[in-house]
Amino acid sequence: MFDPVIAPSGTLLGLLQRGRGDGTLHALAAPRAEALAALNHCVLHDPRHDWQAENRSLYYARLCLDLDGGLDAIDQHLFRAEDLFETGEERTGLALSVLGHLASYGRRDALDLLRRYAASGTNWAWALDELALRDDDQGLRSLAEPVLARFPATPEGESALAAAVRDAFEPRPWRLWADDPRETVGPRIRAAGERGSFDRWQRQLRPEGPRPGWSVEAVLDWAQQGHERGGEPYVPAARCLLAVAGPEDRPAILAAARSGATGARGACLHYLAQTGDPAALDLIESAAADGHDIARAAVGAFERMCSAAAVDRARGWARRPDALGSAAAGVLAVRGAAKDAPLVLGALRETVRSEGPDAPALWTLVDGAGRLGIACAAPVLRHVYRETASSQLRGRAARALAATDPSYATGFAFECLWDCEETTREIAALHAEMGDVRVAERLRRLAADPVEEDEVQTAVRSRFGPDATAL
């Protein structure tokens, strides 16, 4: 589920998996059976590399409406035997979110399917959250007993119920059920709510987790212990050092940053970087040439630096063929001046060439190309836009193209009006060439869509001027 196979960008399935606007446009022009098969594949086999951050559900729901698609495939997917033992949210979350959006558009079959799954499915809490936003009070009240039946009247069951009430993303159903007059519903929910509030209060009074002692030596020991347990406690340890270290502690901190154990050394590098110590950059450069763990800590410390000295040093490091060189290019992309454009462009091209269109470093470099207005970066940005499997990176590429590519308004901006990410649709709404009648029609549909995000609709209305209220 965490490593989906993405089809080539030139295929209908590849376009839909990426959430590109061209996916919708090609699906509407393709044979209906082929388009529905590709759509169902995407909904049932979540194509997102980061399913918690990328958007697809509204995009797929809208296409389902345009194709007049049925819900049999989603029904079978939700109630397969795997639902009993594949309990991760990522298996069914996308399908449930699509149903939620379809219910918002008035699809009664989607609402009924959500109710059935909330009553008997493993990922019932997600379905209940979708219903909390869209179902009426009567429909939600009918789910009280099936949901409560999941929690036996035992100490363990009551504890699990209290946690469910306390951690609910959408509290509306639980509030309705707390007022339920039935003896087996209302009193039990109220008791669970009180217990959850008490548990939260106790956690606040007694926070869990190890805490270092109040001395530099104790903080460094704690950082090393965290590293030996497999963690990277450099940033929290640096914060602790900020609280306890004084001028007299600088020699010891410098010594640990030069040759201390990995956990303590990483904490000291972050501390020196945050305080702007004049020795920080030299120590970071030295650590970047050492072992993998400490090199990663050094790079992380450098990326947090905002000083002019750090930017100046980045200009000398940006051509390095290692992680520090990549970080230096990222610093220039975020904080550099116009004279740094060649270095940022070079890093952008090299990253795409060597690591492909989904490289993590591209996020910052793409933003930098737009921020610095690097017009000759447009071909690389267009390649990233077409090929990346990340809809968020594609949105960043669209924003950069809007700032660097004069053809964006008459080219990619048109398909971006159908993109799965609302921020990408917003960019397109602000820049798409209004001379195309298809653009005006799409903007009117977005302005009238009851499910569209407010920011997108605001951008749309800004293009129509005083007559926007007549849309």
Side-chain angles (χ1 to χ4, degrees):
M1 298 301 294
F2 293 99
D3 190 19
V5 177
I6 305 299
S9 61
T11 64
L12 174 59
L13 178 59
L15 291 169
L16 291 178
Q17 287 177 316
R18 289 167 171 79
R20 279 182 55 181
D22 254 5
T24 294
L25 299 175
H26 279 68
L28 295 177
R32 181 171 176 273
E34 178 186 345
L36 284 174
L39 172 61
N40 286 332
H41 184 280
C42 293
V43 174
L44 306 187
H45 304 88
D46 195 336
R48 298 170 293 180
H49 284 282
D50 187 349
W51 64 274
Q52 293 178 304
E54 296 184 40
N55 295 313
R56 292 292 189 282
S57 54
L58 178 57
Y59 173 84
Y60 293 143
R62 282 172 167 168
L63 182 55
C64 182
L65 289 174
D66 290 339
L67 295 173
D68 192 24
L71 302 181
D72 290 345
I74 294 180
D75 189 333
Q76 295 171 14
H77 175 72
L78 292 178
F79 294 99
R80 285 167 56 186
E82 286 87 336
D83 194 56
L84 298 176
F85 53 86
E86 290 186 13
T87 58
E89 292 180 333
E90 64 274 12
R91 191 188 82 85
T92 53
L94 179 58
L96 294 171
S97 295
V98 169
L99 291 176
H101 285 302
L102 289 173
S104 295
Y105 282 115
R107 285 282 296 263
R108 178 70 189 207
D109 54 347
L111 188 67
D112 291 340
L113 188 49
L114 278 173
R115 287 174 177 171
R116 283 175 50 212
Y117 190 80
S120 60
T122 297
N123 194 12
W124 61 271
W126 191 311
L128 188 61
D129 286 339
E130 297 290 341
L131 290 167
L133 299 173
R134 299 165 175 96
D135 207 353
D136 55 29
D137 288 356
Q138 182 179 355
L140 290 175
R141 288 194 179 99
S142 69
L143 293 171
E145 289 186 328
V147 170
L148 286 177
R150 299 174 180 276
F151 303 96
T154 62
E156 294 78 10
E158 298 301 340
S159 178
L161 177 59
V165 175
R166 181 191 67 221
D167 300 334
F169 192 74
E170 293 291 343
R172 180 180 163 225
W174 304 99
R175 290 173 179 169
L176 278 174
W177 299 342
D179 295 331
D180 195 298
R182 288 173 289 184
E183 189 66 27
T184 57
V185 178
R188 195 176 179 200
I189 294 295
R190 290 193 294 272
E194 292 172 0
R195 177 170 179 173
S197 297
F198 181 72
D199 290 344
R200 185 182 295 111
W201 175 70
Q202 282 189 313
R203 288 208 309 267
Q204 291 170 345
L205 286 180
R206 295 193 296 272
E208 298 178 356
R211 287 180 288 178
W214 289 101
S215 71
V216 169
E217 183 180 0
V219 170
L220 296 184
D221 288 343
W222 175 73
Q224 181 59 28
Q225 292 166 10
H227 170 73
E228 291 172 356
R229 289 193 297 267
E232 294 185 350
Y234 314 126
V235 174
R239 293 193 185 115
C240 292
L241 288 176
L242 287 170
V244 304
E248 68 280 3
D249 296 305
R250 184 172 182 266
I253 292 175
L254 289 174
R258 288 190 191 97
S259 57
T262 301
R265 191 179 180 188
C268 290
L269 289 173
H270 274 269
Y271 167 78
L272 294 170
Q274 289 184 40
T275 57
D277 191 284
L281 290 167
D282 289 335
L283 290 169
I284 286 172
E285 184 174 19
S286 176
D290 288 349
H292 178 70
D293 289 343
I294 192 59
R296 187 166 62 248
V299 168
F302 175 64
E303 289 175 328
R304 289 173 166 267
M305 298 184 72
C306 303
S307 65
V311 174
D312 188 60
R313 188 68 68 94
R315 294 184 177 113
W317 289 346
R319 291 187 175 90
R320 290 174 57 127
D322 59 5
L324 186 57
S326 178
V331 167
L332 295 179
V334 174
R335 304 185 184 96
K339 65 180 181 179
D340 300 312
L343 290 173
V344 174
L345 175 60
L348 176 64
R349 288 171 171 167
E350 176 59 24
T351 301
V352 172
R353 185 194 67 79
S354 60
E355 301 180 45
D358 292 311
L362 284 177
W363 292 52
T364 302
L365 295 173
V366 164
D367 285 348
R371 185 181 75 86
L372 297 173
I374 308 175
C376 53
V380 184
L381 294 173
R382 287 194 289 266
H383 174 76
V384 172
Y385 176 94
R386 292 189 187 97
E387 298 300 328
T388 181
S390 167
S391 57
Q392 292 191 330
L393 178 55
R394 183 177 64 252
R396 289 171 180 258
R399 186 180 297 276
L401 284 168
T404 60
D405 186 0
S407 70
Y408 174 75
T410 56
F412 283 139
F414 175 70
E415 74 155 282
C416 285
L417 291 171
W418 282 265
D419 197 87
C420 66
E421 296 287 346
E422 64 267 18
T423 52
T424 307
R425 296 196 298 275
E426 181 183 358
I427 296 166
L430 292 171
H431 292 92
E433 177 56 58
M434 291 286 286
D436 189 332
V437 66
R438 299 173 300 169
V439 171
E441 175 59 27
R442 179 59 178 171
L443 291 176
R444 289 189 174 91
R445 288 193 63 180
L446 290 175
D449 192 321
V451 182
E452 186 53 85
E453 297 290 337
D454 292 341
E455 292 81 2
V456 177
Q457 294 190 326
T458 298
V460 169
R461 292 189 173 101
S462 73
R463 302 297 304 279
F464 287 90
D467 298 330
T469 55
L471 290 177

